[in-house]
Amino acid sequence: MRRDSVTFGEMRRCWLCRRVKRIDDFSKKLGGPDRHYNCKACCNTRAKEWYANNKERGKASRLKWAAALREKAIIAIGGWLCVCCGESLRSMLDIDHIHGGGGQHRKDRGNLGYYHDVIREPAKYQVLCCNCNHSKQRLGECEHKCHKAASTQN
């Protein structure tokens, strides 16, 4: 191991900028107590440079990661099936806040934060198809449920 990668008490030398910085200036490694060898500032600079030079690859990577996170979120709340009408076409399915407020939640947290919230608290959400979700938003209840209630009363 290189001497400059060793921590000196609460300090560590960054491999890129060669400065000695506080240990808190280094990100923790996943799955362990150890820290990275490059400081957060250098890591951010390198990441920005990489994305500037690899825009298409970076965009494809982010989209793939977001799709996988959406899949985890939908599976966490019951899977690929509309709870109202039974639609199973994946491109037609949405995540619905059972008690409303989804638009503001998505604005506040962004898509990825929103998906993490769904995974963390699945009882607050349900899977609806676009039609049922839109109907619920406009009418307060899905039209399928309205029609079912009307047919049982007759």
Side-chain angles (χ1 to χ4, degrees):
M1 185 182 330
R2 290 172 43 173
R3 173 73 178 133
D4 58 356
S5 69
V6 177
T7 57
F8 306 102
E10 291 296 312
M11 305 295 277
R12 170 177 273 184
R13 184 184 309 272
C14 174
W15 278 16
L16 292 176
C17 67
R18 314 299 295 161
R19 294 191 188 121
V20 176
K21 297 184 175 185
R22 292 176 316 142
I23 197 75
D24 293 340
D25 291 331
F26 295 82
S27 298
K28 289 184 179 178
K29 287 187 179 181
L30 291 177
D34 199 14
R35 303 215 175 227
H36 287 279
Y37 297 116
N38 302 327
C39 67
K40 291 176 186 177
C42 288
C43 287
N44 290 342
T45 302
R46 287 181 78 185
K48 285 177 185 176
E49 288 172 4
W50 187 90
Y51 280 114
N53 296 328
N54 299 281
K55 285 183 181 175
E56 291 302 315
R57 217 169 126 197
K59 183 178 178 182
S61 176
R62 283 190 306 278
L63 288 174
K64 186 177 176 181
W65 188 71
L69 191 57
R70 180 176 188 263
E71 171 120 9
K72 283 182 185 177
I74 288 183
I75 289 170
I77 58 175
W80 295 96
L81 191 68
C82 175
V83 297
C84 184
C85 70
E87 176 66 62
S88 62
L89 188 61
R90 288 179 176 219
S91 62
M92 294 290 292
L93 298 175
D94 288 334
I95 296 172
D96 172 60
H97 285 68
I98 293 173
H99 303 294
Q104 188 61 45
H105 183 206
R106 205 174 202 116
K107 283 180 189 174
D108 293 344
R109 295 281 288 144
N111 282 341
L112 300 181
Y114 169 74
Y115 291 142
H116 284 293
D117 291 347
V118 172
I119 293 166
R120 203 174 304 117
E121 300 180 77
K124 294 182 177 182
Y125 308 91
Q126 63 186 350
V127 177
L128 291 178
C129 70
C130 295
N131 291 332
C132 293
N133 198 12
H134 184 69
S135 179
K136 180 184 169 201
Q137 183 182 5
R138 250 185 46 245
L139 305 173
E141 190 172 30
C142 179
E143 285 192 56
H144 291 112
K145 291 182 180 177
C146 295
H147 289 298
K148 287 176 189 174
S151 65
T152 56
Q153 290 176 353
N154 292 335

mmCIF file of all heavy atoms in Angstrom, residues 98-114:
data_model
loop_
_atom_site.group_PDB
_atom_site.id
_atom_site.type_symbol
_atom_site.label_atom_id
_atom_site.label_comp_id
_atom_site.label_asym_id
_atom_site.label_seq_id
_atom_site.Cartn_x
_atom_site.Cartn_y
_atom_site.Cartn_z
ATOM 1 N N ILE A 98 -52.166 6.456 -2.842
ATOM 2 C CA ILE A 98 -53.510 6.057 -2.439
ATOM 3 C C ILE A 98 -54.297 7.249 -1.897
ATOM 4 O O ILE A 98 -55.480 7.410 -2.186
ATOM 5 C CB ILE A 98 -53.448 4.907 -1.409
ATOM 6 C CG1 ILE A 98 -52.889 3.644 -2.092
ATOM 7 C CG2 ILE A 98 -54.817 4.633 -0.805
ATOM 8 C CD1 ILE A 98 -52.611 2.493 -1.158
ATOM 9 N N HIS A 99 -53.651 8.122 -1.155
ATOM 10 C CA HIS A 99 -54.341 9.261 -0.541
ATOM 11 C C HIS A 99 -54.054 10.582 -1.249
ATOM 12 O O HIS A 99 -54.241 11.641 -0.665
ATOM 13 C CB HIS A 99 -53.964 9.364 0.938
ATOM 14 C CG HIS A 99 -54.274 8.126 1.703
ATOM 15 N ND1 HIS A 99 -55.558 7.680 1.923
ATOM 16 C CD2 HIS A 99 -53.477 7.205 2.269
ATOM 17 C CE1 HIS A 99 -55.538 6.554 2.599
ATOM 18 N NE2 HIS A 99 -54.275 6.239 2.827
ATOM 19 N N GLY A 100 -53.598 10.537 -2.496
ATOM 20 C CA GLY A 100 -53.344 11.743 -3.278
ATOM 21 C C GLY A 100 -52.005 12.398 -2.951
ATOM 22 O O GLY A 100 -51.241 11.925 -2.123
ATOM 23 N N GLY A 101 -51.726 13.518 -3.636
ATOM 24 C CA GLY A 101 -50.510 14.283 -3.392
ATOM 25 C C GLY A 101 -49.305 13.833 -4.200
ATOM 26 O O GLY A 101 -48.188 14.250 -3.931
ATOM 27 N N GLY A 102 -49.514 12.995 -5.213
ATOM 28 C CA GLY A 102 -48.399 12.441 -5.977
ATOM 29 C C GLY A 102 -47.623 13.450 -6.790
ATOM 30 O O GLY A 102 -46.404 13.386 -6.879
ATOM 31 N N GLY A 103 -48.336 14.412 -7.389
ATOM 32 C CA GLY A 103 -47.661 15.406 -8.215
ATOM 33 C C GLY A 103 -46.684 16.241 -7.402
ATOM 34 O O GLY A 103 -45.539 16.454 -7.814
ATOM 35 N N GLN A 104 -47.120 16.703 -6.249
ATOM 36 C CA GLN A 104 -46.252 17.508 -5.393
ATOM 37 C C GLN A 104 -45.093 16.677 -4.853
ATOM 38 O O GLN A 104 -43.964 17.147 -4.776
ATOM 39 C CB GLN A 104 -47.058 18.114 -4.239
ATOM 40 C CG GLN A 104 -46.258 19.109 -3.427
ATOM 41 C CD GLN A 104 -45.785 20.300 -4.258
ATOM 42 O OE1 GLN A 104 -46.548 20.873 -5.026
ATOM 43 N NE2 GLN A 104 -44.521 20.648 -4.116
ATOM 44 N N HIS A 105 -45.377 15.416 -4.496
ATOM 45 C CA HIS A 105 -44.329 14.534 -3.983
ATOM 46 C C HIS A 105 -43.236 14.344 -5.034
ATOM 47 O O HIS A 105 -42.044 14.420 -4.737
ATOM 48 C CB HIS A 105 -44.939 13.183 -3.600
ATOM 49 C CG HIS A 105 -43.970 12.219 -3.006
ATOM 50 N ND1 HIS A 105 -44.149 10.871 -3.068
ATOM 51 C CD2 HIS A 105 -42.801 12.399 -2.349
ATOM 52 C CE1 HIS A 105 -43.137 10.266 -2.469
ATOM 53 N NE2 HIS A 105 -42.313 11.175 -2.030
ATOM 54 N N ARG A 106 -43.639 14.132 -6.273
ATOM 55 C CA ARG A 106 -42.669 13.930 -7.345
ATOM 56 C C ARG A 106 -41.849 15.193 -7.601
ATOM 57 O O ARG A 106 -40.648 15.134 -7.860
ATOM 58 C CB ARG A 106 -43.409 13.489 -8.609
ATOM 59 C CG ARG A 106 -42.544 12.715 -9.518
ATOM 60 C CD ARG A 106 -43.369 12.170 -10.682
ATOM 61 N NE ARG A 106 -42.649 11.055 -11.203
ATOM 62 C CZ ARG A 106 -43.069 9.809 -11.200
ATOM 63 N NH1 ARG A 106 -44.226 9.513 -10.701
ATOM 64 N NH2 ARG A 106 -42.338 8.856 -11.693
ATOM 65 N N LYS A 107 -42.495 16.362 -7.505
ATOM 66 C CA LYS A 107 -41.779 17.632 -7.680
ATOM 67 C C LYS A 107 -40.753 17.826 -6.562
ATOM 68 O O LYS A 107 -39.640 18.282 -6.801
ATOM 69 C CB LYS A 107 -42.756 18.807 -7.683
ATOM 70 C CG LYS A 107 -43.514 18.970 -8.967
ATOM 71 C CD LYS A 107 -44.458 20.147 -8.867
ATOM 72 C CE LYS A 107 -45.383 20.199 -10.061
ATOM 73 N NZ LYS A 107 -46.405 21.242 -9.929
ATOM 74 N N ASP A 108 -41.163 17.504 -5.331
ATOM 75 C CA ASP A 108 -40.286 17.696 -4.180
ATOM 76 C C ASP A 108 -39.086 16.760 -4.197
ATOM 77 O O ASP A 108 -37.977 17.161 -3.876
ATOM 78 C CB ASP A 108 -41.047 17.484 -2.871
ATOM 79 C CG ASP A 108 -42.101 18.553 -2.629
ATOM 80 O OD1 ASP A 108 -42.046 19.608 -3.291
ATOM 81 O OD2 ASP A 108 -42.984 18.322 -1.775
ATOM 82 N N ARG A 109 -39.292 15.500 -4.568
ATOM 83 C CA ARG A 109 -38.254 14.474 -4.442
ATOM 84 C C ARG A 109 -37.566 14.127 -5.753
ATOM 85 O O ARG A 109 -36.512 13.511 -5.748
ATOM 86 C CB ARG A 109 -38.860 13.191 -3.861
ATOM 87 C CG ARG A 109 -39.357 13.332 -2.454
ATOM 88 C CD ARG A 109 -38.241 13.283 -1.448
ATOM 89 N NE ARG A 109 -37.747 11.913 -1.363
ATOM 90 C CZ ARG A 109 -36.489 11.580 -1.176
ATOM 91 N NH1 ARG A 109 -35.578 12.496 -1.029
ATOM 92 N NH2 ARG A 109 -36.125 10.331 -1.117
ATOM 93 N N GLY A 110 -38.154 14.456 -6.894
ATOM 94 C CA GLY A 110 -37.608 14.013 -8.177
ATOM 95 C C GLY A 110 -37.936 12.543 -8.384
ATOM 96 O O GLY A 110 -38.353 11.848 -7.451
ATOM 97 N N ASN A 111 -37.773 12.052 -9.597
ATOM 98 C CA ASN A 111 -38.157 10.677 -9.903
ATOM 99 C C ASN A 111 -37.427 9.637 -9.070
ATOM 100 O O ASN A 111 -38.036 8.713 -8.545
ATOM 101 C CB ASN A 111 -37.942 10.362 -11.380
ATOM 102 C CG ASN A 111 -39.036 10.939 -12.242
ATOM 103 O OD1 ASN A 111 -40.112 11.265 -11.759
ATOM 104 N ND2 ASN A 111 -38.766 11.077 -13.520
ATOM 105 N N LEU A 112 -36.121 9.776 -8.938
ATOM 106 C CA LEU A 112 -35.367 8.733 -8.238
ATOM 107 C C LEU A 112 -35.660 8.733 -6.744
ATOM 108 O O LEU A 112 -35.841 7.674 -6.139
ATOM 109 C CB LEU A 112 -33.874 8.889 -8.509
ATOM 110 C CG LEU A 112 -33.494 8.780 -9.992
ATOM 111 C CD1 LEU A 112 -31.991 8.921 -10.151
ATOM 112 C CD2 LEU A 112 -33.974 7.493 -10.598
ATOM 113 N N GLY A 113 -35.750 9.906 -6.136
ATOM 114 C CA GLY A 113 -36.115 9.983 -4.726
ATOM 115 C C GLY A 113 -37.511 9.445 -4.485
ATOM 116 O O GLY A 113 -37.790 8.778 -3.481
ATOM 117 N N TYR A 114 -38.391 9.727 -5.436
ATOM 118 C CA TYR A 114 -39.771 9.244 -5.373
ATOM 119 C C TYR A 114 -39.799 7.714 -5.378
ATOM 120 O O TYR A 114 -40.479 7.099 -4.559
ATOM 121 C CB TYR A 114 -40.513 9.828 -6.578
ATOM 122 C CG TYR A 114 -41.877 9.276 -6.860
ATOM 123 C CD1 TYR A 114 -42.952 9.611 -6.056
ATOM 124 C CD2 TYR A 114 -42.093 8.457 -7.961
ATOM 125 C CE1 TYR A 114 -44.218 9.132 -6.337
ATOM 126 C CE2 TYR A 114 -43.347 7.978 -8.245
ATOM 127 C CZ TYR A 114 -44.405 8.322 -7.437
ATOM 128 O OH TYR A 114 -45.654 7.850 -7.713
#
